[in-house]
Amino acid sequence: MDKIREIADQADMIVNGYAFTRENNQIKILNLNNLDKALVISEAGEVLETTMDDIEIRIVLDYWSSDRKFMEDEDA
């Protein structure tokens, strides 16, 4: 439970149990209900690495495209 709390605290955004964290030009997404399920995408939404199945990837990418505005830099 402490690991999940640590991940959630460091996340830039959490949507329906998925933690989204920006690192350089990549977005790392982790399923907080199953820490073995992860996805790394480019800022444009291109899948770079994953341990998720195709259905979960589609769900997470839909979350990303509808909520990515909440992770945009305020200074930009």
Side-chain angles (χ1 to χ4, degrees):
M1 187 68 155
D2 290 334
K3 180 72 172 171
I4 294 170
R5 182 179 300 260
E6 180 182 330
I7 293 166
D9 286 345
Q10 293 176 358
D12 296 305
M13 174 175 73
I14 297 176
V15 179
N16 288 339
Y18 292 94
F20 293 74
T21 306
R22 183 184 309 272
E23 289 187 17
N24 301 319
N25 293 332
Q26 297 178 346
I27 309 302
K28 295 185 177 187
I29 305 163
L30 186 63
N31 183 336
L32 296 174
N33 296 307
N34 184 349
L35 298 180
D36 293 333
K37 300 295 184 173
L39 176 65
V40 179
I41 61 173
S42 68
E43 288 185 337
E46 177 184 331
V47 174
L48 304 174
E49 295 179 51
T50 190
T51 57
M52 295 179 181
D53 61 43
D54 290 343
I55 294 170
E56 189 171 18
I57 292 169
R58 175 59 14 220
I59 291 167
V60 172
L61 290 177
D62 286 347
Y63 291 150
W64 170 246
S65 53
S66 67
D67 295 330
R68 68 186 290 170
K69 61 186 167 271
F70 298 112
M71 285 184 60
E72 292 177 357
D73 292 332
E74 293 177 8
D75 299 330

